[in-house]
C-alpha cells in the first residue's frame, strides 16, 4: 500500500506548554485513521497541524510523500468537516456545497453535475433548495460533508463531527460516514473522544494521552491487546476489568492470586498468552479481562483453552437489551460481566462466574505496560 500521510517526530508547543510530543504516525492511502483520547489530549491540535491551521514546533508532515509543513492550507488538497457545520445561512444547500468550486471559478455545468452527484451519494437530493435553518442537525452535517466531498480532496479531515447530535443520530451518521468512506476510498483522519466511534469507523486507531501516542493499531489490536493500562481502561464500554493481584508460581505453571482484608482470597489461572518466564513468584501484577470474557459457563467460548471460575455474590444487574451486565466483587475488587440477555440473576444471589483466560492480559503495575 502507498503511504498517504506520514508524520515524523512532530511536536507542538504553545508557549512553555508541550501540547504534542514527538508524534510518529503513518496512514496508508485509502485508510481511515481515528485519533481518540480524552479532552485536552492534543488530538484536535494534531488534526489542525495536518490541515495547516496550526504550525508545528518540530518534525515533519508529508502528504503523498510531499512535505507540507510550510504549505498554505489551500495548497494541501485537504477538506475538513467541523463539529459546528460552518454553513452559510443565507445560501441554499446546493449553493453551500458548490461555493468552494464557485470561488475556484469551476464552470457552472460542472458545478451542477458535481453537486447532483454528491447529493445522490449523501441522499440529500430533496434538500438542495432548502436553507440550513430548515434542516435537522444530521441533515446539516450531511451538507457539511457534501461540501468537503465535492472537492474530491486527497485527504478528508473530520473534527468531532457528530458531537452535537443526539445518540440515535450519532449512530445513523456513523453508518453514513463509513458508507461514504467505502464508496470514495478517500484517505481520512477523524478526531473523536468517543471510543465507540473510534472502534466502529477506523482501519487504524491512534490513542493519545497528554500529547503522546499511547498505541497505534487496528481496532482489534487496540481492544484485545492494549499496550498499557490507560488504553485498556479508555477503550471499551464498559471498560476492561483491572484486578490487582500477585503471581503464584507452581512448578512450571503460574496463577494469579487476589486477596483483600475481610474477603476470601481467590486464585485464577494465568492468562493463556502470558509469558510466565517474565514473572517471579510474589510479583505484583494487574490482570485485565474484558466484561464479555466473564460470564456463566454456557456463554464462555467453548474453544477457550483456559477457563477459570469462581463463585461470587451478584451486586447489580443491568439489563441492556441485547446483553445483561452483572456487577460482582471478587476478593474485594469490582468486576463487570457481560451475560446473556435472558439471564435471571438477582442482586444478593451467589453465582458461578467463568473467566475466559485466553482473552485476559497482564500489566506491570509499576510501568503500566502490558506484559508479553
Amino acid at each position: 500500500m502507498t503511504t498517504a500521510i506520514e508524520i515524523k517526530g512532530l511536536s507542538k508547543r504553545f508557549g512553555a506548554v508541550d501540547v504534542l510530543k514527538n508524534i510518529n504516525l503513518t496512514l496508508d492511502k485509502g485508510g481511515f485513521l481515528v485519533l481518540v483520547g480524552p479532552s485536552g489530549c492534543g488530538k484536535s491540535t494534531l488534526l489542525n497541524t495536518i490541515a495547516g491551521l496550526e504550525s508545528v514546533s518540530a518534525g515533519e508532515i508529508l502528504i503523498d510523500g510531499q512535505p507540507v509543513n510550510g504549505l498554505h492550507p489551500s495548497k494541501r488538497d485537504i477538506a475538513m468537516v467541523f463539529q459546528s457545520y460552518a454553513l452559510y445561512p443565507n445560501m441554499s444547500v446546493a449553493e453551500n456545497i458548490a461555493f468552494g468550486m464557485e470561488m475556484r471559478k469551476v464552470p457552472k455545468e460542472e458545478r451542477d453535475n458535481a453537486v447532483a452527484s454528491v447529493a445522490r451519494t449523501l441522499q440529500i437530493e430533496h434538500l438542495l433548495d432548502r436553507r440550513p435553518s430548515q434542516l435537522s442537525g444530521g441533515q446539516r452535517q450531511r451538507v457539511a460533508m457534501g461540501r468537503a466531498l465535492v472537492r474530491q480532496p486527497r485527504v478528508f479531515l473530520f473534527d468531532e463531527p457528530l458531537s452535537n447530535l443526539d445518540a440515535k443520530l450519532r449512530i445513523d451518521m456513523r453508518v453514513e460516514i463509513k458508507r461514504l468512506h467505502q464508496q470514495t476510498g478517500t484517505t481520512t483522519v477523524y478526531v473523536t473522544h468517543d471510543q465507540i466511534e473510534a472502534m466502529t469507523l477506523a482501519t487504524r486507531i491512534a490513542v493519545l494521552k497528554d500529547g503522546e501516542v499511547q498505541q497505534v493499531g487496528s481496532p482489534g489490536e487496540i481492544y484485545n491487546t492494549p499496550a498499557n493500562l490507560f488504553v485498556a481502561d479508555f477503550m471499551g464500554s464498559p471498560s476492561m476489568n483491572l484486578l490487582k493481584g500477585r503471581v503464584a508460581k507452581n512448578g512450571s505453571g503460574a496463577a494469579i492470586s487476589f486477596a483483600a482484608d475481610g474477603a476470601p482470597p481467590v486464585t485464577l489461572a494465568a492468562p493463556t498468552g502470558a509469558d510466565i518466564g517474565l514473572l517471579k513468584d510474589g510479583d505484583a501484577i494487574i490482570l485485565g479481562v474484558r466484561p464479555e470474557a466473564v460470564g456463566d459457563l454456557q456463554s464462555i467460548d467453548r474453544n477457550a483453552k483456559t477457563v477459570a471460575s469462581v463463585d461470587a455474590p451478584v451486586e447489580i444487574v443491568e439489563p441492556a437489551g441485547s446483553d445483561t451486565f452483572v456487577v460482582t466483587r471478587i476478593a474485594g475488587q469490582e468486576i463487570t460481566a457481560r451475560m446473556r440477555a435472558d439471564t435471571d440473576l438477582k442482586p444478593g444471589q451467589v453465582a458461578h462466574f467463568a473467566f475466559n483466560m485466553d482473552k485476559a492480559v497482564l500489566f506491570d503495575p509499576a510501568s503500566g505496560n502490558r506484559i508479553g
Side-chain angles (χ1 to χ4, degrees), residues 3 5-11 21-26 46 56-62 65 67 69:
T3 300
I5 298 176
E6 188 172 5
I7 298 172
K8 300 179 179 178
L10 188 146
S11 296
K21 307 165 190 174
N22 193 31
I23 304 290
N24 293 281
L25 288 171
T26 59
L46 178 55
V56 303
S57 303
E60 191 173 29
I61 301 171
L62 297 94
N69 285 38

Side-chain angles (χ1 to χ4, degrees), residues 94-118 146-152:
E95 289 167 339
N96 264 283
I97 293 173
F99 182 70
M101 290 187 293
E102 189 175 351
M103 291 297 97
R104 297 194 304 275
K105 300 196 169 20
V106 174
K108 185 175 187 309
E109 183 178 356
E110 188 177 335
R111 293 201 311 264
D112 290 345
N113 289 336
V115 169
S117 174
V118 166
R147 188 175 50 193
L149 181 61
V150 78
R151 293 180 51 189
Q152 298 183 326

Side-chain angles (χ1 to χ4, degrees), residues 4 10 32 64 113 144 155-156 167 170 174 179 233 241 249 277 318 333 339 343:
L10 188 146
F32 197 121
D64 288 342
N113 289 336
V155 179
F156 275 141
R170 286 176 76 113
R174 281 208 308 261
R179 181 179 288 120
D233 188 54
N241 296 300
K249 279 287 185 85
E318 297 180 318
Q333 301 185 66
M339 302 283 204
T343 187

Side-chain angles (χ1 to χ4, degrees), residues 342-364:
D342 60 355
T343 187
D344 60 356
L345 293 177
K346 301 288 189 295
Q349 178 181 348
V350 174
H352 192 70
F353 291 89
F355 291 72
N356 181 354
M357 302 308 287
D358 293 6
K359 301 291 187 181
V361 289
L362 295 178
F363 298 96
D364 178 357

Side-chain angles (χ1 to χ4, degrees), residues 18-98:
D18 290 318
V19 179
L20 297 173
K21 307 165 190 174
N22 193 31
I23 304 290
N24 293 281
L25 288 171
T26 59
L27 179 62
D28 289 338
K29 199 172 189 67
F32 197 121
L33 172 67
V34 175
L35 307 175
V36 65
S39 297
C41 71
K43 54 191 183 295
S44 288
T45 302
L46 178 55
L47 193 78
N48 288 336
T49 63
I50 298 171
L53 302 177
E54 293 281 1
S55 61
V56 303
S57 303
E60 191 173 29
I61 301 171
L62 297 94
I63 299 178
D64 288 342
Q66 174 193 10
V68 298
N69 285 38
L71 214 55
H72 190 271
S74 64
K75 305 295 184 186
R76 297 192 182 196
D77 196 13
I78 55 97
M80 196 160 182
V81 178
F82 297 93
Q83 174 183 341
S84 62
Y85 318 135
L87 302 178
Y88 297 106
N90 60 328
M91 293 184 184
S92 69
V93 165
E95 289 167 339
N96 264 283
I97 293 173

